[in-house]
Amino acid sequence: MCPASPPFHRTLAALIGLLPIIGPTPATGQSRQDTLETDTTEVASTLESVLDALNTADRTATLAAEQYADLRARPLVLNQASAADLSVLPELSMKDAHRIVQHRDTHGPFDSVGDLQTVDGLDAATIRAIRPFVRLGPGAPPSLFPAFGTIVSNLTFSLTQRYSRRLDLGRGFHEDRFLGPPGRFTTRLRLDHERRLQLALTLDKDPGEQFRWAPDTQTYGFDHVTGSLALRDLGPVETFVVGDFTAQFGQGIALWQGLRFGKGRDPIAPAQKRGRGIRPYRSASETNFFRGLAGTIGLPGGWVLTAFASRRHRDASVDSSFADAEGPLPVRTVSGSGRHRTPNELARKGTFGETTVGGALEYHRSTLQLGITGYRARFSRPLRPGNTPYRQFRVAGHSTSMLGAYGTAFLGDYTLFGELARSPRGTYGGLLGAAMDGDYAEAIMVGRRYPYDFASFHGNAFGGGRRPQNELGVYTGLQLRLAPNWTLGTYVDQYRAPWLRFAVPRPTTGWEARGVLKYEPRPWLSSYLQARVRSEEVGTEYQRGGRRLEGLQREYRRSVRWHTEYSFSDALTVRTRVELSQHSTPQTDSQGFFLAQGLRWRPHPAITTDARIAVFDTDGFAARIYAYEHDLRYSFSAPVFFDRGRRSYLLIRYNPFSSLTLEAKYGVTRYDNRTKIGSGLNRVDGTRRREVRLQIHWTL
């Protein structure tokens, strides 16, 4: 370990950590029920269990924060939502979503959200988790063409304006290497008529980017502009989108854009999600969406047809070594960062054009759902991933395509699901899973086979990588209800990469296991203990006979976390977390420690404050620890902690009116053993890094 932190910091952190234990208990005369009403504290606790599985390196992190913020502001209509829509709710499995829809079809519309208790298989904890994201609504879609006055009276307009920046700037700003100012501006505009009509526009400028008008690079003041017009429930037309949208079908092997969770604290739900079809895209994230037209039509006999056409330009690195060749210069890699701060980054913007057409045909019955999906994409420049061995089997050439077939069968307490897809090389990739749901146990097993030459350009299936390629694996998850207030969730994932990966010179194997013991005696008191182990082979170099050789070594990552959350009252909640980490190889052994005390206080119904103080001490980056922290609506934050220091933040939310929300967050990280933070143009000279974020959300 690194040298010990100053005794004051250790002592202060330890005393703060005892607050939930030595603090007062709820007063006997307090009006406190075993089932709390939906409030900000409960929503935050629910989302933390989901978002905590992510970190800032995940591209899905921003999408997750945005999706759940949108669901909180515009809950799903319980009496109209499909099983696919319900399955995105936190802690709700595909089987649970199917049971809700089946109960609704059999017994009629729900009379209240509390009637979810009558659905077989839904326990009180699951209902509390999804309650903030659903509302009752009518039992059937409204009339096809409502009166003009009805439309106007039900229109909802919302505006969100966010500004954020780091107060301690890096080299790129001090040396004038970045073209624009250090602040990030994000503007969101929404106009809704129930779920029938949704008009959305998102404008975003990252730190270091310019405000400029350059239509040739798709820059219109803000660097990133995305928008869509979506219509739903127009007779046989289930969905019609003009503008930006995503497509999600089956298990995601052939086609899946947008949010998809991987392995987390919930061992069951993330492994069996179901595609939601066409959805409008409104995110500030600049990758992984289509731009054009898309529509879904319901046909007689339970058939559903979806078709889409897209044309958009993406960032890419052009390979200038082919300057003497005829035709457009080829592209080596398609960029996903979305940053355009320097002339070199700006030169990559919009250089890769992609025209894509595709669709899906699905058959829906109460216990059986089948479908086929596919697309074909043509590129304005040829893709040439290069001669590096690990890039050898990536998508290449002037075009690509994919065709997949998928299905789900609900057989009482059992669910079977899977997908098989074919790549342009004629290689087949697939996933097959089975889930069981009993009174006291849930179990799931998923086998996946993504060959090394199976190149899915728009796939995002369950597994260890972002793309379903070069991976064979078996995942087994189990969740047990040990007692009324105790649950144990665990999974084991074993996998193998049959081909080379980045910085790994040979095929490798690995495994990962996680166990979470949760104790929830009351809705206002919860605690869990988590242990996680990951072992895999990684690349290394060693000397033999005066020569440097590439080889493999086995790496272990271990962590243990204890987290507890206690609500003294509806106005005061405290959270305590302790985490230990270890990273080991045959040559090194690194350890880490993290202790945090969080506090949520509502001194007034219109004011909510969220604060946390944390200390960390690790033997460098190898023993790093990620810790999710609360942020502005539509934002995500999970800083990575390594070396030795302290982190604190304060988030204030003020609702002077029901239609107006003002938010401000200030955070600072201080290091005890560093004089430089970050690297490259982002390097900060000093021992601290501060940031401030401001946001206004107005609904009319």
Side-chain angles (χ1 to χ4, degrees):
M1 292 282 290
C2 296
S5 300
F8 170 78
H9 299 138
R10 293 286 197 192
T11 304
L12 175 63
L15 290 175
I16 294 175
L18 291 175
L19 279 176
I21 302 174
I22 64 177
T25 59
T28 304
Q30 200 171 8
S31 175
R32 195 138 179 96
Q33 305 296 325
D34 280 357
T35 44
L36 291 175
E37 294 297 321
T38 297
D39 59 15
T40 308
T41 301
E42 185 178 353
V43 175
S45 177
T46 299
L47 292 186
E48 181 168 356
S49 66
V50 179
L51 299 179
D52 190 47
L54 304 175
N55 56 61
T56 51
D58 291 315
R59 294 183 179 180
T60 59
T62 299
L63 294 175
E66 292 172 341
Q67 173 172 291
Y68 286 123
D70 191 58
L71 281 171
R72 182 68 182 100
R74 299 170 180 83
L76 295 175
V77 178
L78 185 59
N79 283 324
Q80 296 180 20
S82 66
D85 288 336
L86 291 170
S87 67
V88 306
L89 299 180
E91 300 187 25
L92 197 70
S93 68
M94 184 172 63
K95 180 65 175 179
D96 291 334
H98 174 73
R99 283 172 168 163
I100 293 175
V101 173
Q102 195 172 40
H103 185 280
R104 188 180 67 201
D105 293 341
T106 302
H107 301 282
F110 294 99
D111 294 325
S112 68
V113 176
D115 285 349
L116 286 171
Q117 301 176 50
T118 63
V119 178
D120 292 338
L122 287 188
D123 56 24
T126 302
I127 295 174
R128 284 199 305 271
I130 69 174
R131 190 182 183 96
F133 308 103
V134 296
R135 63 183 178 90
L136 193 59
S143 60
L144 181 58
F145 298 106
F148 178 77
T150 302
I151 296 177
V152 173
S153 63
N154 285 278
L155 280 177
T156 302
F157 172 77
S158 66
L159 165 67
T160 304
Q161 179 63 62
R162 182 174 71 222
Y163 172 78
S164 62
R165 64 160 289 176
R166 287 180 174 173
L167 302 180
D168 304 293
L169 302 179
R171 286 181 49 231
F173 293 104
H174 289 301
E175 299 176 5
D176 295 327
R177 302 281 294 277
F178 292 155
L179 300 173
R184 179 178 183 179
F185 289 88
T186 304
T187 301
R188 299 174 185 273
L189 302 170
R190 283 280 302 269
L191 182 66
D192 297 79
H193 169 57
E194 298 174 343
R195 60 173 264 125
R196 304 285 296 279
L197 181 147
Q198 296 177 345
L199 181 63
L201 181 66
T202 301
L203 311 151
D204 184 68
K205 183 206 81 73
D206 289 328
E209 294 178 342
Q210 292 177 301
F211 280 107
R212 64 193 189 99
W213 189 267
D216 56 321
T217 60
Q218 297 185 348
T219 305
Y220 306 95
F222 288 83
D223 183 77
H224 171 60
V225 178
T226 183
S228 62
L229 169 63
L231 303 174
R232 290 193 177 101
D233 301 331
L234 300 177
V237 179
E238 296 182 1
T239 303
F240 179 73
V241 180
V242 180
D244 298 332
F245 60 92
T246 60
Q248 301 176 355
F249 295 100
Q251 297 298 317
I253 297 179
L255 180 57
W256 189 290
Q257 295 176 310
L259 178 63
R260 184 183 184 94
F261 286 104
K263 294 168 286 188
R265 279 164 48 190
D266 185 341
I268 306 296
Q272 54 172 339
K273 290 298 185 183
R274 175 183 165 193
R276 304 177 67 196
I278 299 297
R279 286 293 180 271
Y281 186 78
R282 314 181 185 100
S283 175
S285 178
E286 300 182 30
T287 61
N288 207 19
F289 64 93
F290 289 131
R291 174 166 291 170
L293 298 172
T296 300
I297 300 176
L299 303 175
W303 293 91
V304 178
L305 177 65
T306 299
F308 65 86
S310 166
R311 169 69 174 173
R312 66 172 295 226
H313 291 271
R314 305 172 63 180
D315 296 359
S317 300
V318 176
D319 193 341
S320 58
S321 64
F322 291 86
D324 297 332
E326 296 182 0
L329 294 177
V331 163
R332 183 177 294 272
T333 58
V334 179
S335 174
S337 69
R339 291 189 290 267
H340 309 110
R341 305 164 299 177
T342 66
N344 287 338
E345 291 177 349
L346 200 57
R348 294 195 289 266
K349 184 174 183 180
T351 57
F352 181 74
E354 178 190 347
T355 301
T356 308
V357 294
L361 179 63
E362 298 180 312
Y363 175 74
H364 294 173
R365 277 291 181 261
S366 60
T367 59
L368 180 64
Q369 296 159 4
L370 303 173
I372 58 173
T373 185
Y375 66 87
R376 181 167 180 81
R378 296 191 63 85
F379 310 136
S380 62
R381 300 174 182 270
L383 271 174
R384 298 186 185 276
N387 298 322
T388 308
Y390 80 92
R391 292 175 172 265
Q392 181 176 345
F393 298 103
R394 294 188 176 182
V395 174
H398 291 82
S399 65
T400 188
S401 61
M402 187 65 68
L403 181 65
Y406 51 89
T408 302
F410 299 100
L411 309 172
D413 292 334
Y414 300 90
T415 305
L416 301 178
F417 56 95
E419 181 175 350
L420 181 67
R422 184 183 186 275
S423 72
R425 291 189 174 96
T427 306
Y428 288 88
L431 176 151
L432 182 63
M436 182 275 292
D437 186 4
D439 293 335
Y440 302 102
E442 295 179 72
I444 189 169
M445 178 175 288
V446 181
R448 60 192 185 273
R449 181 181 182 272
Y450 312 139
Y452 57 83
D453 55 349
F454 180 79
S456 180
F457 199 60
H458 289 297
N460 184 10
F462 181 78
R466 189 173 63 89
R467 298 292 188 204
Q469 184 175 4
N470 191 30
E471 184 176 357
L472 311 177
V474 176
Y475 174 93
T476 304
L478 178 65
Q479 186 150 293
L480 300 173
R481 299 174 183 88
L482 303 178
N485 302 322
W486 293 85
T487 59
L488 174 64
T490 182
Y491 70 74
V492 177
D493 188 28
Q494 303 173 77
Y495 51 88
R496 180 168 69 91
W499 187 247
L500 315 185
R501 297 179 290 122
F502 175 72
V504 182
R506 299 175 191 170
T508 56
T509 62
W511 60 272
E512 180 180 353
R514 186 196 304 241
V516 181
L517 180 63
K518 185 185 300 184
Y519 176 57
E520 294 181 309
R522 293 290 187 273
W524 37 266
L525 174 61
S526 64
S527 183
Y528 72 86
L529 180 66
Q530 172 183 281
R532 186 178 181 184
V533 181
R534 182 174 181 177
S535 171
E536 64 179 356
E537 294 174 309
V538 297
T540 187
E541 293 182 348
Y542 58 94
Q543 298 287 335
R544 177 172 295 178
R547 300 174 56 192
R548 189 178 66 178
L549 303 176
E550 293 183 332
L552 298 178
Q553 66 178 7
R554 185 155 291 276
E555 172 188 80
Y556 289 90
R557 294 186 181 275
R558 305 176 180 90
S559 65
V560 177
R561 174 193 300 171
W562 173 70
H563 179 98
T564 188
E565 185 166 326
Y566 189 93
S567 295
F568 293 110
S569 67
D570 291 335
L572 179 62
T573 300
V574 294
R575 309 181 189 94
T576 304
R577 172 173 296 186
V578 179
E579 185 162 351
L580 305 174
S581 67
Q582 182 188 44
H583 172 270
S584 61
T585 66
Q587 294 82 27
T588 63
D589 185 78
S590 305
Q591 299 180 22
F593 169 80
F594 176 83
L595 171 63
Q597 178 62 56
L599 174 71
R600 176 168 292 235
W601 181 41
R602 301 181 66 183
H604 185 273
I607 301 175
T608 302
T609 62
D610 202 311
R612 187 171 76 181
I613 301 175
V615 295
F616 54 94
D617 186 357
T618 79
D619 294 333
F621 185 74
R624 61 192 178 275
I625 296 174
Y626 291 94
Y628 166 79
E629 63 184 37
H630 298 283
D631 211 324
L632 310 178
R633 179 186 298 191
Y634 300 112
S635 298
F636 177 89
S637 181
V640 55
F641 298 99
F642 60 95
D643 288 337
R644 189 174 67 244
R646 302 163 303 285
R647 165 72 178 176
S648 59
Y649 75 86
L650 174 64
L651 172 64
I652 300 176
R653 181 176 291 110
Y654 177 47
N655 296 97
F657 316 105
S658 60
S659 60
L660 181 63
T661 302
L662 307 177
E663 296 177 284
K665 180 180 179 180
Y666 172 79
V668 56
T669 305
R670 301 177 184 273
Y671 293 89
D672 297 331
N673 59 344
R674 301 180 65 181
T675 58
K676 298 182 185 299
I677 306 172
S679 60
L681 296 179
N682 295 316
R683 192 190 74 197
V684 175
D685 294 328
T687 62
R688 70 180 182 184
R689 172 174 283 176
R690 300 167 297 165
E691 70 274 353
V692 62
R693 305 186 186 191
L694 307 172
Q695 183 164 282
I696 299 174
H697 180 76
W698 178 53
T699 302
L700 179 64

